[in-house]
Amino acid sequence: QQQVKQSPQSLIVQKGGISIINCAYENTAFDYFPWYQQFPGKGPALLIAIRPDVSEKKEGRFTISFNKSAKQFSLHIMDSQPGDSATYFCAASMEGNTPLVFGKGTRLSVIA
Amino acid sequence: KAGVTQTPRYLIKTRGQQVTLSCSPISGHRSVSWYQQTPGQGLQFLFEYFSETQRNKGNFPGRFSGRQFSNSRSEMNVSTLELGDSALYLCASSLSSGRTGELFFGEGSRLTVL
């Protein structure tokens, strides 16, 4: 049972455009939602994270939007650059010693 | 500060064999988690160790096992390898066990089963 559903599987965006990756969850006990970025040949690395007490969090060109009622959250990459080309994973966790549950990932390609 | 180190980086095994993968966490990190990464399934949680105790276990068969040593280094073992075990195995460490600690991943051990 996939607890976090991520879409799209792959995404091609023009340089300077906006990349949008969406995730949805069912378990309302989730209360921590990080995004991880993975470059080829490397392990994932934390990019940005949000808790459900805020609807949006921005760090530079990266923004998480969170919709608690819809149980959805998304990553927006503004002014996308070729260096942003990577695989992005959304994740979720709940209170207690429970592991992060990851989405299946989105492969982003930013073309010039 | 050295990152998470995984060895070996690449290995090829045949069906029925067993394999042991090693992970050295960031100094001071007591939690080590293992994930299996495949193109179709993304990152799937295998298990987590904290202070030599298994804290959580994912939905994998008993052929997958792990352990953590007193210095926080961890190993995972897969016995009776199957073709479907071919994957990138990622180890991640964090300061504390549980959900909100940032996971620091190694570069993974890529296992190919022939």
Side-chain angles (χ1 to χ4, degrees):
Chain A
Q1 181 186 3
Q2 186 186 357
Q3 298 192 56
V4 180
K5 293 185 179 180
Q6 184 172 348
S7 62
Q9 271 189 305
S10 61
L11 181 62
I12 300 175
V13 174
Q14 292 278 352
K15 179 182 175 182
I18 302 174
S19 303
I20 301 174
I21 304 170
N22 300 299
C23 283
Y25 63 97
E26 288 297 322
N27 193 336
T28 56
F30 286 144
D31 65 353
Y32 174 68
F33 304 91
W35 285 86
Y36 279 75
Q37 179 188 53
Q38 183 181 30
F39 292 106
K42 302 293 184 182
L46 179 64
L47 183 63
I48 186 173
I50 196 169
R51 294 184 186 277
D53 53 345
V54 296
S55 60
E56 186 176 281
K57 183 174 181 179
K58 185 176 181 180
E59 290 185 2
R61 296 184 295 108
F62 300 89
T63 300
I64 299 179
S65 297
F66 185 81
N67 187 328
K68 190 173 182 178
S69 61
K71 291 184 286 185
Q72 294 176 346
F73 58 109
S74 60
L75 176 69
H76 291 65
I77 306 174
M78 310 300 288
D79 187 26
S80 299
Q81 299 297 313
D84 297 329
S85 297
T87 300
Y88 293 81
F89 294 94
C90 62
S93 69
M94 65 186 82
E95 189 171 343
N97 291 318
T98 58
L100 273 177
V101 176
F102 286 87
K104 293 190 177 184
T106 296
R107 188 169 184 175
L108 171 65
S109 297
V110 181
I111 57 176
Chain B
K1 196 174 193 181
V4 176
T5 303
Q6 292 189 245
T7 57
R9 290 291 315 279
Y10 303 92
L11 63 167
I12 300 174
K13 294 285 187 178
T14 56
R15 282 181 298 173
Q17 287 187 310
Q18 74 166 14
V19 66
T20 299
L21 309 178
S22 179
C23 172
S24 294
I26 291 173
S27 178
H29 286 193
R30 297 167 65 189
S31 172
V32 173
S33 299
W34 289 88
Y35 286 83
Q36 181 194 64
Q37 183 175 10
T38 56
Q41 297 300 317
L43 290 165
Q44 292 190 290
F45 174 75
L46 282 157
F47 24 67
E48 181 204 1
Y49 288 88
F50 183 80
S51 295
E52 301 179 68
T53 300
Q54 188 180 85
R55 280 289 192 97
N56 290 290
K57 190 177 190 304
N59 190 26
F60 278 81
R63 300 184 297 106
F64 293 80
S65 63
R67 58 178 176 168
Q68 186 180 33
F69 303 96
S70 58
N71 61 358
S72 293
R73 190 177 70 85
S74 177
E75 289 182 349
M76 67 163 284
N77 184 276
V78 187
S79 62
T80 318
L81 284 166
E82 300 177 359
L83 295 178
D85 297 333
S86 294
L88 180 67
Y89 290 88
L90 291 163
C91 166
S93 73
S94 64
L95 273 173
S96 60
S97 175
R99 62 204 192 91
T100 60
E102 177 179 352
L103 293 180
F104 293 84
F105 283 88
E107 295 185 333
S109 293
R110 184 166 295 281
L111 170 65
T112 301
V113 182
L114 302 176

